[in-house]
């Protein structure tokens, strides 16, 4: 069975008002009943008791007037018998007595008829019994009054006959009967007055009862309305206050508060819906956001329906973040792999530059030895003939060494070309790295707060890519200058080879063309000095290229480390298995 709190608020209000109206109707009905009883009592007093009192009073008055007329008739009878006159007044008093007798008889009949009518209309048992008693007493007094009248009339006849002294005993009896009637009428009148007063007291008691009943029922109605209103207000205001508190807590992000109510009315259904909504936010939405903040993007939201904006939006956000993080992880892996390749290529370039520097040092040492030999030849030109064979051998050796130098110069030229290609590869890698960092910055911006750390890493990668590109540009310029110097050195080496060939051709004619050989030795000495200067410049450039290569190798290593840090940062996010390995959006490239 449903309790009152499970009914609707309208039903509760109607129950309170209906009960109050029923109590008020009961109060009004009972008040009307009591007032009706009071009205009947007052009506009885006004139309029964007072009328009866007037009739009995009139009977008593007329009875007294009869007694007076009787006494006067006796007085005038005695005067007439004594010869003092009064014969005229006697008949007059007798006549007035008879008239009063008729009047009293009529009043007795009227009083008896009134009593009979009151008995027929009586509602209360007390009134019925009282007026039956009154009727009996009226009937007895009426009979006594008739006897009284009969005796008086006989006395009047005796007086008229002059026999007043013969009826002395009858006169005394009449006087006693007269006193008795007067006494009975007085007592009867007092009884009627007592009954009237009792009726008035009953009416007053009924009035007090009615007022007391009205006061009690009014107090009951007031207490009921206060208690019912308080109960109804408690059923409405308390849950509403809890609902307001819950909404205030929710506006501050506190979802633990719940409204505790067991009613099934509108307020109960509203608070139940609020509790359900708060449970949905706490258990589904907030839980998913907390897991998202910890890097777990595998949450699944079950929207209430197609119009569930929160659930559908959060699920769409989770799906989008999963897709973005898959792309970022793949990009981070590619950046890490590319960084490792850049670091390895930079290390290879540094190793090749170091080997070139060693080769150039050897060439420089060889050129210095040749220059020293040419100087010795110039000093010992006088001994050229004696040592022509030795010179021929030395020339052949020089020719052989020159071939080596030419080959070394060609190797340097080829190595310089390879270095230029490697530098261009480094420049392209730096460009690709810059584009990848820019792409990562864009994706981090899309990720919002969760991608701030990744954005910082992407910016550092972009800065490293910029420095690598600048270093690659400077290295390219240096290599181009080195290639130019190498070309000059190769030209000088070719000229030296031609000179050595001439030496071999004319070694047999050393004696004859000693002066020419001395001049040629001088030119060779100057040429070797120029070659030495070019080789030194090549050595400087190569050393600078080796230093730049080492810097590039170090930058590539740092880029690889930062790429691994970036990869570790994005791999912290846990994504849905169904998206792992899924095709991602193509990364930005040089094209």
């Amino acid at each position: 069975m449903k309790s009152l709190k499970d009914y609707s608020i309208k039903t509760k209000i109607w129950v309170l008002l209906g009960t109050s109206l029923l109590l008020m109707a009961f109060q009004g009905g009972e008040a009307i009943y009591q007032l009706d009883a009071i009205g009947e009592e007052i009506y009885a007093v006004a139309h029964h008791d007072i009328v009866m009192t007037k009739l009995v009073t009139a009977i008593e008055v007329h009875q007294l007037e009869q007694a007076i007329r009787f006494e006067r008739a006796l007085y005038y009878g005695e005067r007439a018998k004594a010869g003092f006159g009064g014969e005229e007044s006697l008949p007059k008093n007798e006549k007035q007595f008879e008239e009063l007798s008729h009047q009293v008889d009529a009043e007795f009949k009227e009083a008896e008829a009134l009593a009979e009518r009151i008995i027929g209309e009586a509602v209360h048992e007390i009134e019925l019994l009282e007026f039956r008693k009154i009727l009996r007493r009226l009937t007895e007094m009426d009979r006594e009054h008739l006897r009284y009248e009969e005796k008086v009339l006989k006395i009047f006849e005796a007086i008229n006959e002059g026999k007043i002294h013969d009826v002395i005993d009858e006169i005394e009896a009449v006087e006693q009967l007269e006193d008795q009637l007067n006494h009975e009428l007085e007592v009867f009148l007092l009884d009627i007055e007592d009954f009237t007063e009792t009726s008035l007291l009953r009416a007053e008691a009924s009035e007090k009862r009615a007022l007391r009943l009205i006061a009690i029922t009014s107090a009951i109605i007031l207490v009921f309305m206060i208690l019912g209103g308080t109960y109804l207000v408690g059923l409405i205001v308390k849950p509403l206050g809890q609902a307001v508190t819950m909404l205030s807590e929710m506006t501050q992000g506190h979802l633990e508060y719940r409204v505790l109510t067991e009613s099934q009315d509108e307020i109960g259904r509203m608070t139940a819906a609020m509790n359900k909504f708060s449970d949905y936010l706490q258990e589904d939405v907030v839980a998913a956001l907390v897991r998202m903040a910890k890097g777990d993007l595998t949450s699944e939201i079950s929207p209430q329906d197609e119009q569930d904006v929160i659930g559908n939006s959060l699920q769409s956000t989770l799906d989008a973040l999963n897709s973005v993080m898959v792309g970022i992880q793949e990009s981070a892996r590619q950046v890490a792999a590319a960084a490792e390749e850049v670091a390895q290529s930079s290390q290879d370039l540094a190793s090749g530059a170091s080997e070139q520097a060693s080769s150039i040092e050897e060439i420089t040492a060889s050129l210095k030895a040749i220059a020293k030999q040419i100087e010795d030849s110039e000093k010992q030109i006088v001994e050229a003939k004696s040592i022509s064979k030795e010179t021929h051998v030395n020339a052949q050796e020089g020719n052989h060494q020159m071939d080596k130098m030419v080959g070394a110069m060609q190797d340097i030229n080829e190595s310089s070309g390879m270095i230029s290609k490697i530098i261009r590869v480094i420049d392209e890698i730096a460009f690709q790295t810059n584009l990848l960092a820019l792409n990562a910055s864009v994706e981090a911006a899309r990720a919002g707060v969760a991608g701030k750390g990744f954005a910082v890493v992407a910016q550092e990668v972009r800065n490293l890519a910029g420095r690598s590109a600048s270093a690659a540009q400077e290295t390219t310029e240096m290599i181009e200058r080195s290639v130019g110097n190498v070309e000059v050195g190769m030209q000088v080496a070719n000229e030296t080879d031609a000179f050595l060939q001439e030496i071999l051709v004319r070694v047999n004619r050393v004696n004859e063309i000693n002066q020419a050989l001395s001049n040629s030795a001088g030119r060779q000495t100057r040429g070797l000095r120029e070659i030495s200067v070019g080789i030194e410049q090549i050595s400087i450039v190569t050393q600078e290229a080796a230093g730049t290569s080492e810097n590039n190798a170090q930058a590539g290593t740092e880029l690889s480390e930062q790429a691994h840090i970036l990869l570790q940062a994005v791999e912290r996010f846990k994504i849905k298995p169904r998206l792992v390995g899924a095709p991602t959006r193509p990364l930005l490239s040089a094209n």
Side-chain angles (χ1 to χ4, degrees), residues 70 97 147-156 174:
F70 175 66
F97 181 86
R147 290 196 303 272
Y148 168 74
E149 288 179 349
E150 291 176 354
K151 289 181 179 182
V152 170
L153 290 176
K154 289 179 179 180
I155 292 172
F156 282 163
V174 167

Side-chain angles (χ1 to χ4, degrees), residues 284-545:
D284 293 346
V285 178
V286 176
L289 292 175
V290 170
R291 289 194 294 270
M292 187 188 303
K294 294 179 180 179
D296 186 1
L297 304 180
T298 60
S299 300
E300 287 290 344
I301 303 299
S302 299
Q304 302 296 322
D305 50 30
E306 295 180 356
Q307 283 75 35
D308 186 359
V309 179
I310 297 176
N312 290 320
S313 299
L314 183 58
Q315 185 61 50
S316 300
T317 302
L318 286 171
D319 294 340
L321 286 176
N322 273 274
S323 299
V324 168
M325 291 311 300
V326 168
I328 292 175
Q329 288 182 359
E330 187 64 26
S331 300
R333 293 189 185 94
Q334 295 180 9
V335 169
E340 291 179 356
E341 293 179 359
V342 169
Q344 185 63 37
S345 299
S346 298
Q347 290 176 359
D348 294 341
L349 179 61
S351 178
S354 298
E355 292 177 357
Q356 287 180 356
S358 299
S359 299
I360 289 173
E361 288 179 358
E362 292 177 359
I363 292 173
T364 301
S366 299
L367 288 174
K368 288 181 180 180
I370 293 171
K372 188 176 184 303
Q373 289 176 1
I374 292 174
E375 288 177 357
D376 292 339
S377 297
E378 188 178 4
K379 292 178 182 178
Q380 297 175 1
I381 194 61
V382 179
E383 300 176 356
K385 291 181 180 180
S386 59
I387 58 172
S388 57
K389 293 182 179 179
E390 184 179 356
T391 302
H392 184 269
V393 174
N394 289 331
Q396 288 180 343
E397 184 66 23
N399 188 25
H400 181 66
Q401 292 295 329
M402 187 55 66
D403 290 337
K404 290 183 178 180
M405 184 185 69
V406 171
M409 295 298 289
Q410 289 177 352
D411 292 338
I412 291 172
N413 192 13
E414 292 176 357
S415 297
S416 298
M418 292 179 64
I419 291 172
S420 296
K421 292 180 181 179
I422 292 170
I423 294 302
R424 282 195 296 274
V425 171
I426 293 173
D427 189 31
E428 289 178 359
I429 290 171
F431 181 70
Q432 290 289 343
T433 304
N434 190 21
L435 288 178
L436 290 172
L438 178 60
N439 187 18
S441 299
V442 171
E443 296 300 332
R446 290 178 180 177
V449 178
K452 285 186 177 180
F454 182 76
V456 174
V457 175
Q459 184 63 31
E460 292 297 326
V461 172
R462 189 176 179 186
N463 293 337
L464 289 175
R467 291 200 298 270
S468 297
S470 299
Q473 184 65 29
E474 293 175 0
T475 304
T476 300
E477 293 175 357
M478 293 179 184
I479 292 299
E480 287 177 356
R481 289 197 297 270
S482 298
V483 170
N485 293 329
V486 169
E487 289 177 353
V488 172
M490 288 183 65
Q491 182 178 0
V492 174
N494 289 329
E495 292 176 355
T496 302
D497 183 72
F499 288 139
L500 290 175
Q501 291 294 333
E502 187 177 356
I503 291 172
L504 289 173
V505 173
R506 296 184 179 183
V507 70
N508 293 325
R509 298 171 61 193
V510 172
N511 291 328
E512 297 176 356
I513 56 173
N514 192 22
Q515 186 62 39
L517 182 59
S518 176
N519 294 334
S520 296
R523 288 196 296 274
Q524 289 177 357
T525 301
R526 289 191 296 275
L528 287 174
R529 287 175 182 173
E530 292 176 357
I531 291 171
S532 178
V533 172
I535 292 300
E536 288 179 356
Q537 292 178 353
I538 291 173
S539 177
I540 293 172
V541 171
T542 303
Q543 290 177 356
E544 291 178 353

Side-chain angles (χ1 to χ4, degrees), residues 111-171:
E112 291 174 1
L114 177 61
E116 291 176 353
R117 182 169 60 85
I118 292 172
I119 291 171
E121 296 177 356
V123 176
H124 301 291
E125 185 67 22
I126 297 176
E127 186 178 14
L128 178 63
L129 296 175
E130 185 66 26
F131 275 93
R132 283 179 177 175
K133 185 189 296 184
I134 290 172
L135 179 59
R136 286 195 300 272
R137 293 177 69 179
L138 283 173
T139 303
E140 292 176 355
M141 286 189 293
D142 187 16
R143 287 197 295 267
E144 290 178 359
H145 185 266
L146 289 175
R147 290 196 303 272
Y148 168 74
E149 288 179 349
E150 291 176 354
K151 289 181 179 182
V152 170
L153 290 176
K154 289 179 179 180
I155 292 172
F156 282 163
E157 289 178 358
I159 291 173
N160 289 328
E161 292 176 356
K163 299 177 181 180
I164 187 171
H165 295 289
D166 295 337
V167 290
I168 294 298
D169 295 332
E170 284 79 359
I171 291 172

Side-chain angles (χ1 to χ4, degrees), residues 272-284:
M274 291 176 61
N275 289 335
K276 183 177 179 182
F277 178 66
S278 184
D279 292 338
Y280 171 64
L281 288 179
Q282 187 175 15
E283 295 175 1
D284 293 346

